[in-house]
Amino acid sequence: MEVLALDVRLDGFVDPIGALVRDENGSVAFVYKADYLRRSDATALSLSLPLAEEPYRDVIARAFFDNLLQERNGVLTDVLAREGLTRDDIAGLLYHLGKDCAGALSVLPSGSPPTKVPGDYESDYVPIPQDRMIAIVEALHQRKRLPDGTEDPSPLAGVQSKIALTVLPDGRFAEPKRGSGGPTTHILKVPDRDHQQDARYEAEAMRLSGALGFDTAEVSVVPIGGIETLLVTRFDRGRDRQNRIVRLHQEDFAQALGLPVSMKYERRGKAGRRFDVSGIRRILEATVDPAQAKETFIRATIFDLLIGNNDGHAKNFALLYEPGGRIHFAPRYDILPTRLDDTLTDELAYRIGEAETLDEVTPEQLNAFLLALGIESAAARKRMHQRYPSEIALGLADCLGALEKRQVKSLADLIATNMRMLLGAMRLEIPQAARDRDAFIGLAGGWLMS
């Protein structure tokens, strides 16, 4: 195998900030450029790749850069076949796909000019005709190849069918002009034929998240060609002084922990190298306000338990970076009540104490979870145990009637059922609105509760 050197670029910096190198054995290493390290505004790519002069060897470098590639098939499969590459040849794949990495990063052949630049609404985007937009959505809905000439300008993680695009000030969908390097502003998620209601379910879950005070990405359900899609405003976008769209550096928790995408669930790792509460604690303690970040994460965990989102894996939480390296817990995104789908596991993405499912969560397990997150005071843990589940449940209880009116009764019943289970186990009062609702019955006819 030939040695391959790639430039690693970060939006906002004129020159490459580092290099990704593949050796003759196929191992990869990453090193920051010396000039970049001397800058006062130098920002680490990741918590797993702190600013340092020494190169990062294969295990750490591979995990981070592999996370820049999309999880689902499509263009990745095409490049593998066309170029005769193997899936573990991260550098070889990024040689061909690195210009379109998700986020503010790009990985390019050494010496290449930057391919990602700020975007101007007036000059850098082309409106997508309605008939072509319908064709794109139908292809994603049926999980078929996108129409000729359609390129996803920002390959996205996850297994859901989705495409990145831009919404112009007049509301029209658009895509960056070929070669412009302009950022997209939104993600359009398209459910497949077996999950026709997913856009509506996710929209409701995201709206509930915002209503209960979580910083949450904005969403709307948009019917296109008779298919309900979910339009999500990207949280990793901003505006510069010229009102141009710019990318903001972010990373998900898998990247922050140095984990490959295959280990985004706790059950797939091992002690010391997995997405678990001790790892989550390390991430949250690196933010500008660790106490606030921990409180948000604890409340988000309880919220997810109550709405039936068991898919809060390492790629569904993220960090946002300011220039100079200040780190913030990113807004919530990808919140889907997965327990509405009887074909999916009821196992949690990360354990609550030793609890692996909702019905195993007890006061003792919640206490262990809080302690593992670094809540050292027994009095503080007791207050959180009594306060957070009750507050979140009351907020959700106020929304149950409205959910039914919006024709998502199954979600309202699921939330009420989960309230009775969790609050009952916590020995806390169950809101009247939840006590009076039907028990949730899975969409295939099976009971959620045994």
Side-chain angles (χ1 to χ4, degrees):
M1 183 174 288
E2 295 181 359
V3 174
L4 178 63
L6 302 172
D7 286 339
V8 177
R9 288 183 170 273
L10 182 61
D11 265 21
F13 296 94
V14 174
D15 298 315
I17 70 164
L20 180 69
V21 180
R22 181 191 70 195
D23 67 18
E24 62 275 7
N25 298 315
S27 295
V28 296
F30 169 75
V31 63
Y32 287 104
K33 299 280 188 181
D35 289 347
Y36 180 69
L37 290 174
R38 286 193 289 268
R39 295 182 60 124
S40 62
D41 59 349
T43 300
L45 286 187
S46 169
L47 288 182
S48 64
L49 299 170
L51 296 174
E53 295 180 358
E54 294 299 312
Y56 289 93
R57 301 301 179 184
D58 189 86
V59 172
I60 296 298
R62 179 177 296 275
F64 179 82
F65 286 96
D66 182 52
N67 270 288
L68 299 179
L69 296 167
Q70 57 185 223
E71 294 176 62
R72 53 191 170 82
N73 294 329
V75 65
L76 187 63
T77 301
D78 291 344
V79 171
L80 288 170
R82 186 180 70 240
E83 305 298 334
L85 302 174
T86 58
R87 180 59 182 82
D88 64 349
D89 185 2
I90 302 302
L93 288 167
L94 287 170
Y95 178 89
H96 297 281
L97 299 173
K99 69 181 180 66
D100 290 327
C101 292
L105 286 174
S106 52
V107 183
L108 306 169
S110 184
S112 299
T115 57
K116 291 186 174 182
V117 297
D120 187 295
Y121 280 125
E122 297 294 329
S123 58
D124 291 331
Y125 299 94
V126 180
I128 303 174
Q130 181 66 14
D131 58 346
R132 186 153 161 267
M133 196 68 230
I134 292 173
I136 290 171
V137 168
E138 289 179 345
L140 292 170
H141 179 61
Q142 298 172 18
R143 293 185 175 257
K144 294 182 177 180
R145 184 178 294 275
L146 291 171
D148 290 343
T150 302
E151 294 184 8
D152 186 342
S154 180
L156 303 163
V159 296
Q160 287 181 290
S161 293
K162 62 189 81 168
I163 191 168
L165 43 72
T166 295
V167 177
L168 298 175
D170 63 8
R172 288 180 297 169
F173 292 137
E175 55 194 347
K177 286 182 179 178
R178 188 178 296 272
S180 73
T184 56
T185 61
H186 290 70
I187 295 167
L188 189 73
K189 295 185 176 184
V190 183
D192 62 32
R193 285 180 286 191
D194 295 328
H195 301 88
Q196 304 272 6
Q197 300 296 312
D198 272 9
R200 185 176 299 185
Y201 291 146
E202 186 167 354
E204 295 293 354
M206 296 279 280
R207 289 168 183 157
L208 288 171
S209 174
L212 267 68
F214 294 99
D215 188 8
T216 308
E218 295 181 4
V219 297
S220 59
V221 176
V222 181
I224 300 176
I227 299 168
E228 285 192 343
T229 70
L230 185 73
L231 185 67
V232 185
T233 302
R234 299 189 69 138
F235 65 81
D236 58 343
R237 296 295 185 259
R239 300 292 180 87
D240 65 11
R241 293 177 180 177
Q242 289 78 46
N243 200 36
R244 297 177 303 178
I245 306 160
V246 294
R247 299 171 177 88
L248 306 177
H249 180 41
Q250 57 89 22
E251 69 168 337
D252 60 50
F253 278 23
Q255 291 170 301
L257 290 171
L259 299 175
V261 63
S262 60
M263 295 169 63
K264 64 185 180 181
Y265 296 98
E266 178 171 353
R267 56 186 174 270
R268 296 182 182 171
K270 61 181 182 179
R273 184 165 164 75
R274 65 187 179 193
F275 175 58
D276 60 11
V277 177
S278 63
I280 293 166
R281 174 181 176 177
R282 295 197 304 273
I283 294 174
L284 299 178
E285 289 181 347
T287 63
V288 295
D289 190 345
Q292 181 62 53
K294 288 180 183 180
E295 178 184 345
T296 299
F297 188 84
I298 294 163
R299 294 181 67 250
T301 295
I302 294 168
F303 174 85
D304 284 352
L305 288 173
L306 290 175
I307 70 158
N309 174 29
N310 287 4
D311 204 37
H313 55 66
K315 296 191 75 64
N316 281 344
F317 292 98
L319 300 172
L320 270 173
Y321 284 73
E322 290 182 7
R326 286 166 54 90
I327 303 171
H328 300 267
F329 195 2
R332 298 222 61 195
Y333 60 97
D334 278 353
I335 308 173
L336 181 65
T338 55
R339 290 306 298 131
L340 290 173
D341 187 340
D342 296 322
T343 67
L344 299 178
T345 180
D346 64 350
E347 191 171 350
L348 304 174
Y350 53 91
R351 295 175 187 167
I352 311 299
E354 292 300 317
E356 297 181 352
T357 58
L358 171 63
D359 58 3
E360 295 177 357
V361 178
T362 63
E364 295 74 24
Q365 300 299 347
L366 183 59
N367 183 70
F369 168 76
L370 296 174
L371 185 60
L373 267 181
I375 311 301
E376 303 291 348
S377 165
R381 295 197 302 275
K382 183 176 181 180
R383 285 195 302 272
M384 290 178 176
H385 163 265
Q386 294 175 338
R387 176 183 166 193
Y388 291 166
S390 294
E391 286 183 350
I392 294 169
L394 285 171
L396 290 171
D398 288 341
C399 301
L400 296 178
L403 289 174
E404 183 163 357
K405 290 179 181 177
R406 290 197 293 272
Q407 300 180 330
V408 282
K409 181 180 184 297
S410 57
L411 176 56
D413 290 346
L414 172 63
I415 292 171
T417 298
N418 289 346
M419 279 190 206
R420 293 194 292 267
M421 181 181 292
L422 182 63
L423 270 63
M426 295 291 110
R427 298 186 284 276
L428 298 171
E429 184 177 358
I430 300 168
Q432 186 66 46
R435 293 201 298 268
D436 293 342
R437 288 203 70 85
D438 295 337
F440 171 73
I441 300 177
L443 301 185
W447 288 90
L448 174 65
M449 298 179 64
S450 57

